């Protein structure tokens, strides 16, 4: 731990224990937006392999994959990744091969993560793999498990998973309760490894990053550069301030966020944003994000329940919306939504789009224009339209989503930047070069804070921006010449 303290001190960071929070990461200097606070390679990681999609165990890519000829579970894109993983995988491969082929389909990414955890621990103990201040099992031991707060059903699941891990490993020294406790640690501390566009590709354990506590109004953001976890400042952070990131989707009411945190991470959030629960601003925010719209289509007010239980009253124009009207719309919406969920969209994508457009129309009538539910439906429609290359409609939905993102996320949140990036690419594709330049500039200004400027993703964005600027200048020159 002394080595770890020195490592953190060299980066102007320190760890303190806070009441109700435990270990917490603090900065010992002022930090500007976009600065890297901390980076760490995973102690262990695995790709999110499913029956529909497989990824290389080394780089998480999906191209030109071949199965490991031994275990028939792990995939590689080539000899480089296979060789780089071999010191660890040779032991995992041997363990998986002992398992009956039929049982290997039950080896989920989480099971593999646990198997790799114990194999790596043993290899480090035997000095086959090096131990460093930031890459050692003692950091995993220090992670919080919340075992005392787990219910009986979850404990039984962890016990069953531990038995499978024990069956695979067959290590005489492994304790089943310890494995179960480590599964609980995974639940609270493992991170989804995402690509530059925040699409999940795998899971990993980053014990240093796990020291950073949650806030619903974080001052830092966690992104990944390949498999490296990188924490960057989103705002100006003053010396001696705590570093915080968000563990969950923060677009939602305080009650929704707290429910999500309690279920997944087993703690009650007491951040500045959550401390406003029940206050006028929090009530308004909840009603806008998760409540109904005013009956007057031109009114932007939010609704609260009528004291006489007749319905919902708009807090701007005082118009009453009856319970019967809300119930009828909600019932119609439920019927169409159930039909959409029952229909496999892969078979007839155009029909699926029409179904979700019907859902959207009903949601527009029922929910506030900044509704999270409506936003999610439009996100789904945007993805389906992009898949079918229906660019104009996709752009229209993109433009509907951006203002909602700006309402529900902090100004420097990467999701806003990524949405502007999508919007800019669509505008450019459709010949709206001037608008594309504006959108790409907005994307770059946000994403340089969360993603830096030196990654391949940001270099590609920068190149697109310069190309669009050149095209816009050429078009303007042509117009001026004609005039």
């Amino acid at each position: 731990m002394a080595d770890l303290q020195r490592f953190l001190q060299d980066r102007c960071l320190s760890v303190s224990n806070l009441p109700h929070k435990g270990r917490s990461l603090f900065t010992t200097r002022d930090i500007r937006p976009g600065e890297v606070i901390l980076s760490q390679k995973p102690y262990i990681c695995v790709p999110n392999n499913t029956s529909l999609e497989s990824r290389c165990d080394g780089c998480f890519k999906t191209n030109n994959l071949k199965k490991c000829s031994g275990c028939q579970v792990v995939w590689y894109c080539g000899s480089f990744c296979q060789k780089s993983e071999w010191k660890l995988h040779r032991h995992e491969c041997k363990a998986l091969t002992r398992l009956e082929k039929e049982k290997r389909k039950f080896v989920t990414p989480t099971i593999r993560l646990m198997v790799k955890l114990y194999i790596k621990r043993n290899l480090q103990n035997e000095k086959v793999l090096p131990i460093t201040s930031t890459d050692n099992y003692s950091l995993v031991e220090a992670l919080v498990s919340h075992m005392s707060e787990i219910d009986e059903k979850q404990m039984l699941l962890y016990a069953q998973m531990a038995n499978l891990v024990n069956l695979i490993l067959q290590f005489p020294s492994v304790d089943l309760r310890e494995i179960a406790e480590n599964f609980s640690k995974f639940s609270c501390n493992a991170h989804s490894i995402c690509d530059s566009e925040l699409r999940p590709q795998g899971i990993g354990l980053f014990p240093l990053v796990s020291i950073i506590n949650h806030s619903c109004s974080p001052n830092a953001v966690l992104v990944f550069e390949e498999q490296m976890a990188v924490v960057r400042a989103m705002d100006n952070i003053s010396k001696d301030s705590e570093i915080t990131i968000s563990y969950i989707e923060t677009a939602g009411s305080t009650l929704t966020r707290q429910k999500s945190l309690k279920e997944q991470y087993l703690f009650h959030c007491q951040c500045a944003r959550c401390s406003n629960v029940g206050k006028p601003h929090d009530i308004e925010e909840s009603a806008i994000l998760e409540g109904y719209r005013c009956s007057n289509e031109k009114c932007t007010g939010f609704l609260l329940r009528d004291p006489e239980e007749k319905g919902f009253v708009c807090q701007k124009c005082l118009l009453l919306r009856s319970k019967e009207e809300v119930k009828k719309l909600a019932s119609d919406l439920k019927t169409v939504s159930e039909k959409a969920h029952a229909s496999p969209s892969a078979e007839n994508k155009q029909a699926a789009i029409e179904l979700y457009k019907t859902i959207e129309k009903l949601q527009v009538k029922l929910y506030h224009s900044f509704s999270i539910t409506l936003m999610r439906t439009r996100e789904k429609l945007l993805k389906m339209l992009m898949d079918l290359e229906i660019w104009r409609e996709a752009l229209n939905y993109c433009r509907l989503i951006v203002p909602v993102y700006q309402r529900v996320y902090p100004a420097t949140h990467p999701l806003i930047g990524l949405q502007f990036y999508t919007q800019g690419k669509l505008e450019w594709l459709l010949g709206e070069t001037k608008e594309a330049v504006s959108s790409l500039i907005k994307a770059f200004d946000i994403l340089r804070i969360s993603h830096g400027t030196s990654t391949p993703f940001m270099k590609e964005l920068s190149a697109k921006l310069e190309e669009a600027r050149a095209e816009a200048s050429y078009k303007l020159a042509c117009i001026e010449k004609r005039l």
Side-chain angles (χ1 to χ4, degrees), residues 292-293 321 325-326 328-337 355-368 374 377:
Y292 305 122
R293 65 163 300 147
R321 190 167 196 187
E325 182 190 353
V326 169
K328 174 69 170 63
L329 271 172
S331 176
D332 292 346
L333 182 57
K334 184 182 178 185
T335 301
V336 181
S337 297
L355 207 52
Y356 275 94
K357 281 183 179 178
T358 304
I359 292 171
E360 182 205 12
K361 284 176 184 175
L362 289 168
Q363 288 176 343
V364 166
K365 291 179 182 178
L366 182 60
Y367 298 124
H368 194 280
L374 176 58
T377 299

PDB file of all heavy atoms in Angstrom, residues 292-293 321 325-326 328-337 355-368 374 377:
ATOM      1  N   TYR A 292     -46.319  13.601 -17.017  1.00  0.00           N
ATOM      2  CA  TYR A 292     -47.180  13.812 -18.179  1.00  0.00           C
ATOM      3  C   TYR A 292     -47.096  15.245 -18.698  1.00  0.00           C
ATOM      4  O   TYR A 292     -46.637  16.154 -18.006  1.00  0.00           O
ATOM      5  CB  TYR A 292     -48.623  13.472 -17.809  1.00  0.00           C
ATOM      6  CG  TYR A 292     -48.773  12.079 -17.242  1.00  0.00           C
ATOM      7  CD1 TYR A 292     -49.318  11.862 -15.979  1.00  0.00           C
ATOM      8  CD2 TYR A 292     -48.359  10.972 -17.988  1.00  0.00           C
ATOM      9  CE1 TYR A 292     -49.430  10.579 -15.465  1.00  0.00           C
ATOM     10  CE2 TYR A 292     -48.481   9.687 -17.479  1.00  0.00           C
ATOM     11  CZ  TYR A 292     -49.020   9.496 -16.211  1.00  0.00           C
ATOM     12  OH  TYR A 292     -49.134   8.233 -15.707  1.00  0.00           O
ATOM     13  N   ARG A 293     -47.569  15.436 -19.933  1.00  0.00           N
ATOM     14  CA  ARG A 293     -47.556  16.755 -20.545  1.00  0.00           C
ATOM     15  C   ARG A 293     -48.893  17.454 -20.325  1.00  0.00           C
ATOM     16  O   ARG A 293     -49.901  16.825 -19.986  1.00  0.00           O
ATOM     17  CB  ARG A 293     -47.267  16.669 -22.040  1.00  0.00           C
ATOM     18  CG  ARG A 293     -48.346  15.950 -22.848  1.00  0.00           C
ATOM     19  CD  ARG A 293     -48.211  16.250 -24.337  1.00  0.00           C
ATOM     20  NE  ARG A 293     -48.349  17.674 -24.571  1.00  0.00           N
ATOM     21  CZ  ARG A 293     -47.704  18.330 -25.519  1.00  0.00           C
ATOM     22  NH1 ARG A 293     -46.885  17.682 -26.325  1.00  0.00           N
ATOM     23  NH2 ARG A 293     -47.890  19.621 -25.694  1.00  0.00           N
ATOM     24  N   ARG A 321     -55.758  17.912 -16.388  1.00  0.00           N
ATOM     25  CA  ARG A 321     -55.797  16.774 -17.305  1.00  0.00           C
ATOM     26  C   ARG A 321     -56.404  15.603 -16.555  1.00  0.00           C
ATOM     27  O   ARG A 321     -55.869  15.160 -15.528  1.00  0.00           O
ATOM     28  CB  ARG A 321     -54.390  16.424 -17.796  1.00  0.00           C
ATOM     29  CG  ARG A 321     -54.413  15.414 -18.939  1.00  0.00           C
ATOM     30  CD  ARG A 321     -53.085  15.291 -19.637  1.00  0.00           C
ATOM     31  NE  ARG A 321     -53.262  14.628 -20.922  1.00  0.00           N
ATOM     32  CZ  ARG A 321     -52.279  14.252 -21.724  1.00  0.00           C
ATOM     33  NH1 ARG A 321     -51.019  14.498 -21.385  1.00  0.00           N
ATOM     34  NH2 ARG A 321     -52.530  13.659 -22.868  1.00  0.00           N
ATOM     35  N   GLU A 325     -58.359  10.445 -19.198  1.00  0.00           N
ATOM     36  CA  GLU A 325     -57.603  10.690 -20.431  1.00  0.00           C
ATOM     37  C   GLU A 325     -56.206  10.069 -20.347  1.00  0.00           C
ATOM     38  O   GLU A 325     -55.747   9.424 -21.295  1.00  0.00           O
ATOM     39  CB  GLU A 325     -57.486  12.206 -20.679  1.00  0.00           C
ATOM     40  CG  GLU A 325     -56.754  12.553 -21.974  1.00  0.00           C
ATOM     41  CD  GLU A 325     -56.438  14.031 -22.105  1.00  0.00           C
ATOM     42  OE1 GLU A 325     -56.891  14.830 -21.251  1.00  0.00           O
ATOM     43  OE2 GLU A 325     -55.714  14.392 -23.049  1.00  0.00           O
ATOM     44  N   VAL A 326     -55.566  10.247 -19.200  1.00  0.00           N
ATOM     45  CA  VAL A 326     -54.223   9.696 -18.997  1.00  0.00           C
ATOM     46  C   VAL A 326     -54.259   8.175 -19.031  1.00  0.00           C
ATOM     47  O   VAL A 326     -53.415   7.527 -19.673  1.00  0.00           O
ATOM     48  CB  VAL A 326     -53.623  10.204 -17.665  1.00  0.00           C
ATOM     49  CG1 VAL A 326     -52.353   9.439 -17.313  1.00  0.00           C
ATOM     50  CG2 VAL A 326     -53.335  11.698 -17.744  1.00  0.00           C
ATOM     51  N   LYS A 328     -56.453   6.214 -20.510  1.00  0.00           N
ATOM     52  CA  LYS A 328     -56.751   5.728 -21.867  1.00  0.00           C
ATOM     53  C   LYS A 328     -55.484   5.739 -22.728  1.00  0.00           C
ATOM     54  O   LYS A 328     -55.174   4.751 -23.415  1.00  0.00           O
ATOM     55  CB  LYS A 328     -57.829   6.631 -22.492  1.00  0.00           C
ATOM     56  CG  LYS A 328     -58.144   6.342 -23.973  1.00  0.00           C
ATOM     57  CD  LYS A 328     -58.840   5.003 -24.141  1.00  0.00           C
ATOM     58  CE  LYS A 328     -59.376   4.791 -25.546  1.00  0.00           C
ATOM     59  NZ  LYS A 328     -58.365   4.761 -26.594  1.00  0.00           N
ATOM     60  N   LEU A 329     -54.743   6.838 -22.685  1.00  0.00           N
ATOM     61  CA  LEU A 329     -53.508   6.933 -23.466  1.00  0.00           C
ATOM     62  C   LEU A 329     -52.478   5.904 -22.998  1.00  0.00           C
ATOM     63  O   LEU A 329     -51.814   5.257 -23.811  1.00  0.00           O
ATOM     64  CB  LEU A 329     -52.919   8.341 -23.360  1.00  0.00           C
ATOM     65  CG  LEU A 329     -53.395   9.372 -24.382  1.00  0.00           C
ATOM     66  CD1 LEU A 329     -52.870  10.755 -24.019  1.00  0.00           C
ATOM     67  CD2 LEU A 329     -52.939   8.993 -25.786  1.00  0.00           C
ATOM     68  N   ALA A 330     -52.358   5.759 -21.675  1.00  0.00           N
ATOM     69  CA  ALA A 330     -51.401   4.806 -21.101  1.00  0.00           C
ATOM     70  C   ALA A 330     -51.753   3.379 -21.497  1.00  0.00           C
ATOM     71  O   ALA A 330     -50.870   2.561 -21.790  1.00  0.00           O
ATOM     72  CB  ALA A 330     -51.358   4.944 -19.585  1.00  0.00           C
ATOM     73  N   SER A 331     -53.049   3.062 -21.555  1.00  0.00           N
ATOM     74  CA  SER A 331     -53.510   1.729 -21.941  1.00  0.00           C
ATOM     75  C   SER A 331     -53.209   1.458 -23.412  1.00  0.00           C
ATOM     76  O   SER A 331     -52.723   0.372 -23.767  1.00  0.00           O
ATOM     77  CB  SER A 331     -55.009   1.604 -21.676  1.00  0.00           C
ATOM     78  OG  SER A 331     -55.494   0.366 -22.133  1.00  0.00           O
ATOM     79  N   ASP A 332     -53.479   2.449 -24.260  1.00  0.00           N
ATOM     80  CA  ASP A 332     -53.190   2.304 -25.700  1.00  0.00           C
ATOM     81  C   ASP A 332     -51.686   2.112 -25.920  1.00  0.00           C
ATOM     82  O   ASP A 332     -51.261   1.289 -26.741  1.00  0.00           O
ATOM     83  CB  ASP A 332     -53.668   3.546 -26.474  1.00  0.00           C
ATOM     84  CG  ASP A 332     -55.187   3.674 -26.492  1.00  0.00           C
ATOM     85  OD1 ASP A 332     -55.866   2.690 -26.150  1.00  0.00           O
ATOM     86  OD2 ASP A 332     -55.691   4.767 -26.834  1.00  0.00           O
ATOM     87  N   LEU A 333     -50.905   2.879 -25.187  1.00  0.00           N
ATOM     88  CA  LEU A 333     -49.452   2.812 -25.305  1.00  0.00           C
ATOM     89  C   LEU A 333     -48.932   1.442 -24.878  1.00  0.00           C
ATOM     90  O   LEU A 333     -48.054   0.861 -25.521  1.00  0.00           O
ATOM     91  CB  LEU A 333     -48.818   3.920 -24.460  1.00  0.00           C
ATOM     92  CG  LEU A 333     -47.298   4.054 -24.482  1.00  0.00           C
ATOM     93  CD1 LEU A 333     -46.785   4.248 -25.907  1.00  0.00           C
ATOM     94  CD2 LEU A 333     -46.865   5.227 -23.621  1.00  0.00           C
ATOM     95  N   LYS A 334     -49.495   0.910 -23.795  1.00  0.00           N
ATOM     96  CA  LYS A 334     -49.082  -0.404 -23.307  1.00  0.00           C
ATOM     97  C   LYS A 334     -49.369  -1.490 -24.332  1.00  0.00           C
ATOM     98  O   LYS A 334     -48.532  -2.376 -24.574  1.00  0.00           O
ATOM     99  CB  LYS A 334     -49.814  -0.721 -21.997  1.00  0.00           C
ATOM    100  CG  LYS A 334     -49.370  -2.028 -21.358  1.00  0.00           C
ATOM    101  CD  LYS A 334     -50.156  -2.326 -20.091  1.00  0.00           C
ATOM    102  CE  LYS A 334     -49.729  -3.670 -19.499  1.00  0.00           C
ATOM    103  NZ  LYS A 334     -50.561  -4.053 -18.338  1.00  0.00           N
ATOM    104  N   THR A 335     -50.517  -1.402 -24.987  1.00  0.00           N
ATOM    105  CA  THR A 335     -50.905  -2.402 -25.994  1.00  0.00           C
ATOM    106  C   THR A 335     -49.935  -2.409 -27.169  1.00  0.00           C
ATOM    107  O   THR A 335     -49.453  -3.470 -27.598  1.00  0.00           O
ATOM    108  CB  THR A 335     -52.336  -2.113 -26.512  1.00  0.00           C
ATOM    109  OG1 THR A 335     -53.245  -2.138 -25.400  1.00  0.00           O
ATOM    110  CG2 THR A 335     -52.765  -3.147 -27.535  1.00  0.00           C
ATOM    111  N   VAL A 336     -49.618  -1.210 -27.680  1.00  0.00           N
ATOM    112  CA  VAL A 336     -48.706  -1.114 -28.830  1.00  0.00           C
ATOM    113  C   VAL A 336     -47.285  -1.520 -28.430  1.00  0.00           C
ATOM    114  O   VAL A 336     -46.575  -2.184 -29.190  1.00  0.00           O
ATOM    115  CB  VAL A 336     -48.704   0.322 -29.415  1.00  0.00           C
ATOM    116  CG1 VAL A 336     -47.773   0.401 -30.628  1.00  0.00           C
ATOM    117  CG2 VAL A 336     -50.099   0.744 -29.813  1.00  0.00           C
ATOM    118  N   SER A 337     -46.862  -1.121 -27.220  1.00  0.00           N
ATOM    119  CA  SER A 337     -45.516  -1.454 -26.742  1.00  0.00           C
ATOM    120  C   SER A 337     -45.336  -2.958 -26.597  1.00  0.00           C
ATOM    121  O   SER A 337     -44.277  -3.509 -26.952  1.00  0.00           O
ATOM    122  CB  SER A 337     -45.239  -0.768 -25.398  1.00  0.00           C
ATOM    123  OG  SER A 337     -45.262   0.629 -25.536  1.00  0.00           O
ATOM    124  N   LEU A 355     -44.025   0.636 -36.174  1.00  0.00           N
ATOM    125  CA  LEU A 355     -44.582   0.317 -34.856  1.00  0.00           C
ATOM    126  C   LEU A 355     -44.048   1.292 -33.808  1.00  0.00           C
ATOM    127  O   LEU A 355     -44.801   1.811 -32.973  1.00  0.00           O
ATOM    128  CB  LEU A 355     -44.220  -1.128 -34.498  1.00  0.00           C
ATOM    129  CG  LEU A 355     -45.140  -1.886 -33.542  1.00  0.00           C
ATOM    130  CD1 LEU A 355     -46.587  -1.829 -33.982  1.00  0.00           C
ATOM    131  CD2 LEU A 355     -44.688  -3.343 -33.443  1.00  0.00           C
ATOM    132  N   TYR A 356     -42.738   1.556 -33.851  1.00  0.00           N
ATOM    133  CA  TYR A 356     -42.145   2.476 -32.879  1.00  0.00           C
ATOM    134  C   TYR A 356     -42.538   3.924 -33.133  1.00  0.00           C
ATOM    135  O   TYR A 356     -42.585   4.734 -32.204  1.00  0.00           O
ATOM    136  CB  TYR A 356     -40.624   2.311 -32.849  1.00  0.00           C
ATOM    137  CG  TYR A 356     -40.205   1.194 -31.920  1.00  0.00           C
ATOM    138  CD1 TYR A 356     -39.985  -0.093 -32.400  1.00  0.00           C
ATOM    139  CD2 TYR A 356     -40.084   1.413 -30.550  1.00  0.00           C
ATOM    140  CE1 TYR A 356     -39.639  -1.129 -31.544  1.00  0.00           C
ATOM    141  CE2 TYR A 356     -39.731   0.390 -29.687  1.00  0.00           C
ATOM    142  CZ  TYR A 356     -39.514  -0.884 -30.191  1.00  0.00           C
ATOM    143  OH  TYR A 356     -39.187  -1.900 -29.332  1.00  0.00           O
ATOM    144  N   LYS A 357     -42.868   4.247 -34.374  1.00  0.00           N
ATOM    145  CA  LYS A 357     -43.398   5.592 -34.657  1.00  0.00           C
ATOM    146  C   LYS A 357     -44.785   5.776 -34.044  1.00  0.00           C
ATOM    147  O   LYS A 357     -45.138   6.861 -33.565  1.00  0.00           O
ATOM    148  CB  LYS A 357     -43.452   5.833 -36.171  1.00  0.00           C
ATOM    149  CG  LYS A 357     -42.112   6.184 -36.793  1.00  0.00           C
ATOM    150  CD  LYS A 357     -42.268   6.472 -38.286  1.00  0.00           C
ATOM    151  CE  LYS A 357     -40.934   6.849 -38.908  1.00  0.00           C
ATOM    152  NZ  LYS A 357     -41.054   7.084 -40.368  1.00  0.00           N
ATOM    153  N   THR A 358     -45.570   4.688 -34.035  1.00  0.00           N
ATOM    154  CA  THR A 358     -46.886   4.726 -33.377  1.00  0.00           C
ATOM    155  C   THR A 358     -46.710   4.921 -31.876  1.00  0.00           C
ATOM    156  O   THR A 358     -47.439   5.702 -31.248  1.00  0.00           O
ATOM    157  CB  THR A 358     -47.663   3.418 -33.653  1.00  0.00           C
ATOM    158  OG1 THR A 358     -47.772   3.220 -35.060  1.00  0.00           O
ATOM    159  CG2 THR A 358     -49.049   3.458 -33.031  1.00  0.00           C
ATOM    160  N   ILE A 359     -45.729   4.208 -31.312  1.00  0.00           N
ATOM    161  CA  ILE A 359     -45.415   4.375 -29.886  1.00  0.00           C
ATOM    162  C   ILE A 359     -45.009   5.814 -29.608  1.00  0.00           C
ATOM    163  O   ILE A 359     -45.472   6.436 -28.641  1.00  0.00           O
ATOM    164  CB  ILE A 359     -44.300   3.405 -29.459  1.00  0.00           C
ATOM    165  CG1 ILE A 359     -44.804   1.962 -29.491  1.00  0.00           C
ATOM    166  CG2 ILE A 359     -43.758   3.757 -28.069  1.00  0.00           C
ATOM    167  CD1 ILE A 359     -43.716   0.921 -29.285  1.00  0.00           C
ATOM    168  N   GLU A 360     -44.161   6.363 -30.474  1.00  0.00           N
ATOM    169  CA  GLU A 360     -43.695   7.745 -30.297  1.00  0.00           C
ATOM    170  C   GLU A 360     -44.867   8.730 -30.315  1.00  0.00           C
ATOM    171  O   GLU A 360     -44.933   9.638 -29.480  1.00  0.00           O
ATOM    172  CB  GLU A 360     -42.692   8.101 -31.402  1.00  0.00           C
ATOM    173  CG  GLU A 360     -42.130   9.512 -31.267  1.00  0.00           C
ATOM    174  CD  GLU A 360     -41.643  10.095 -32.578  1.00  0.00           C
ATOM    175  OE1 GLU A 360     -41.941   9.511 -33.641  1.00  0.00           O
ATOM    176  OE2 GLU A 360     -40.980  11.138 -32.544  1.00  0.00           O
ATOM    177  N   LYS A 361     -45.791   8.565 -31.251  1.00  0.00           N
ATOM    178  CA  LYS A 361     -46.945   9.478 -31.356  1.00  0.00           C
ATOM    179  C   LYS A 361     -47.774   9.458 -30.070  1.00  0.00           C
ATOM    180  O   LYS A 361     -48.227  10.500 -29.587  1.00  0.00           O
ATOM    181  CB  LYS A 361     -47.811   9.093 -32.551  1.00  0.00           C
ATOM    182  CG  LYS A 361     -47.213   9.504 -33.893  1.00  0.00           C
ATOM    183  CD  LYS A 361     -48.077   9.016 -35.049  1.00  0.00           C
ATOM    184  CE  LYS A 361     -47.414   9.337 -36.393  1.00  0.00           C
ATOM    185  NZ  LYS A 361     -48.173   8.771 -37.532  1.00  0.00           N
ATOM    186  N   LEU A 362     -47.986   8.269 -29.528  1.00  0.00           N
ATOM    187  CA  LEU A 362     -48.746   8.155 -28.269  1.00  0.00           C
ATOM    188  C   LEU A 362     -47.979   8.768 -27.108  1.00  0.00           C
ATOM    189  O   LEU A 362     -48.569   9.437 -26.244  1.00  0.00           O
ATOM    190  CB  LEU A 362     -49.057   6.687 -27.982  1.00  0.00           C
ATOM    191  CG  LEU A 362     -50.100   6.023 -28.901  1.00  0.00           C
ATOM    192  CD1 LEU A 362     -50.107   4.517 -28.700  1.00  0.00           C
ATOM    193  CD2 LEU A 362     -51.489   6.603 -28.637  1.00  0.00           C
ATOM    194  N   GLN A 363     -46.652   8.559 -27.093  1.00  0.00           N
ATOM    195  CA  GLN A 363     -45.832   9.136 -26.021  1.00  0.00           C
ATOM    196  C   GLN A 363     -45.810  10.660 -26.099  1.00  0.00           C
ATOM    197  O   GLN A 363     -45.786  11.328 -25.064  1.00  0.00           O
ATOM    198  CB  GLN A 363     -44.415   8.570 -26.089  1.00  0.00           C
ATOM    199  CG  GLN A 363     -44.324   7.107 -25.651  1.00  0.00           C
ATOM    200  CD  GLN A 363     -42.932   6.537 -25.810  1.00  0.00           C
ATOM    201  OE1 GLN A 363     -42.093   7.091 -26.527  1.00  0.00           O
ATOM    202  NE2 GLN A 363     -42.670   5.418 -25.153  1.00  0.00           N
ATOM    203  N   VAL A 364     -45.803  11.207 -27.308  1.00  0.00           N
ATOM    204  CA  VAL A 364     -45.836  12.665 -27.485  1.00  0.00           C
ATOM    205  C   VAL A 364     -47.124  13.236 -26.889  1.00  0.00           C
ATOM    206  O   VAL A 364     -47.114  14.306 -26.277  1.00  0.00           O
ATOM    207  CB  VAL A 364     -45.703  13.032 -28.984  1.00  0.00           C
ATOM    208  CG1 VAL A 364     -46.075  14.494 -29.223  1.00  0.00           C
ATOM    209  CG2 VAL A 364     -44.283  12.767 -29.473  1.00  0.00           C
ATOM    210  N   LYS A 365     -48.222  12.515 -27.044  1.00  0.00           N
ATOM    211  CA  LYS A 365     -49.504  12.965 -26.482  1.00  0.00           C
ATOM    212  C   LYS A 365     -49.538  12.832 -24.965  1.00  0.00           C
ATOM    213  O   LYS A 365     -50.201  13.612 -24.281  1.00  0.00           O
ATOM    214  CB  LYS A 365     -50.655  12.144 -27.078  1.00  0.00           C
ATOM    215  CG  LYS A 365     -50.920  12.422 -28.542  1.00  0.00           C
ATOM    216  CD  LYS A 365     -52.068  11.544 -29.034  1.00  0.00           C
ATOM    217  CE  LYS A 365     -52.331  11.769 -30.520  1.00  0.00           C
ATOM    218  NZ  LYS A 365     -53.412  10.889 -31.016  1.00  0.00           N
ATOM    219  N   LEU A 366     -48.828  11.817 -24.440  1.00  0.00           N
ATOM    220  CA  LEU A 366     -48.919  11.509 -23.007  1.00  0.00           C
ATOM    221  C   LEU A 366     -47.856  12.205 -22.171  1.00  0.00           C
ATOM    222  O   LEU A 366     -48.165  12.775 -21.109  1.00  0.00           O
ATOM    223  CB  LEU A 366     -48.802   9.989 -22.814  1.00  0.00           C
ATOM    224  CG  LEU A 366     -48.918   9.455 -21.379  1.00  0.00           C
ATOM    225  CD1 LEU A 366     -50.272   9.812 -20.773  1.00  0.00           C
ATOM    226  CD2 LEU A 366     -48.687   7.948 -21.354  1.00  0.00           C
ATOM    227  N   TYR A 367     -46.604  12.160 -22.634  1.00  0.00           N
ATOM    228  CA  TYR A 367     -45.485  12.604 -21.793  1.00  0.00           C
ATOM    229  C   TYR A 367     -45.010  14.015 -22.115  1.00  0.00           C
ATOM    230  O   TYR A 367     -45.261  14.545 -23.202  1.00  0.00           O
ATOM    231  CB  TYR A 367     -44.296  11.640 -21.946  1.00  0.00           C
ATOM    232  CG  TYR A 367     -44.586  10.230 -21.497  1.00  0.00           C
ATOM    233  CD1 TYR A 367     -44.410   9.147 -22.351  1.00  0.00           C
ATOM    234  CD2 TYR A 367     -45.044   9.965 -20.200  1.00  0.00           C
ATOM    235  CE1 TYR A 367     -44.659   7.846 -21.946  1.00  0.00           C
ATOM    236  CE2 TYR A 367     -45.300   8.674 -19.786  1.00  0.00           C
ATOM    237  CZ  TYR A 367     -45.109   7.614 -20.662  1.00  0.00           C
ATOM    238  OH  TYR A 367     -45.369   6.344 -20.248  1.00  0.00           O
ATOM    239  N   HIS A 368     -44.271  14.587 -21.173  1.00  0.00           N
ATOM    240  CA  HIS A 368     -43.632  15.891 -21.369  1.00  0.00           C
ATOM    241  C   HIS A 368     -42.613  15.778 -22.505  1.00  0.00           C
ATOM    242  O   HIS A 368     -42.058  14.700 -22.752  1.00  0.00           O
ATOM    243  CB  HIS A 368     -42.933  16.320 -20.066  1.00  0.00           C
ATOM    244  CG  HIS A 368     -42.540  17.763 -20.048  1.00  0.00           C
ATOM    245  ND1 HIS A 368     -41.406  18.222 -20.671  1.00  0.00           N
ATOM    246  CD2 HIS A 368     -43.143  18.854 -19.483  1.00  0.00           C
ATOM    247  CE1 HIS A 368     -41.312  19.533 -20.492  1.00  0.00           C
ATOM    248  NE2 HIS A 368     -42.347  19.939 -19.777  1.00  0.00           N
ATOM    249  N   LEU A 374     -39.775   9.032 -23.804  1.00  0.00           N
ATOM    250  CA  LEU A 374     -39.877   9.485 -25.187  1.00  0.00           C
ATOM    251  C   LEU A 374     -38.487   9.558 -25.824  1.00  0.00           C
ATOM    252  O   LEU A 374     -38.294   9.180 -26.991  1.00  0.00           O
ATOM    253  CB  LEU A 374     -40.567  10.849 -25.230  1.00  0.00           C
ATOM    254  CG  LEU A 374     -40.692  11.550 -26.587  1.00  0.00           C
ATOM    255  CD1 LEU A 374     -41.438  10.679 -27.589  1.00  0.00           C
ATOM    256  CD2 LEU A 374     -41.395  12.901 -26.433  1.00  0.00           C
ATOM    257  N   THR A 377     -37.323   6.089 -26.877  1.00  0.00           N
ATOM    258  CA  THR A 377     -37.998   5.628 -28.092  1.00  0.00           C
ATOM    259  C   THR A 377     -37.375   6.261 -29.322  1.00  0.00           C
ATOM    260  O   THR A 377     -37.140   5.596 -30.337  1.00  0.00           O
ATOM    261  CB  THR A 377     -39.499   5.969 -28.028  1.00  0.00           C
ATOM    262  OG1 THR A 377     -40.080   5.303 -26.901  1.00  0.00           O
ATOM    263  CG2 THR A 377     -40.233   5.540 -29.292  1.00  0.00           C
TER     264      THR A 377
END
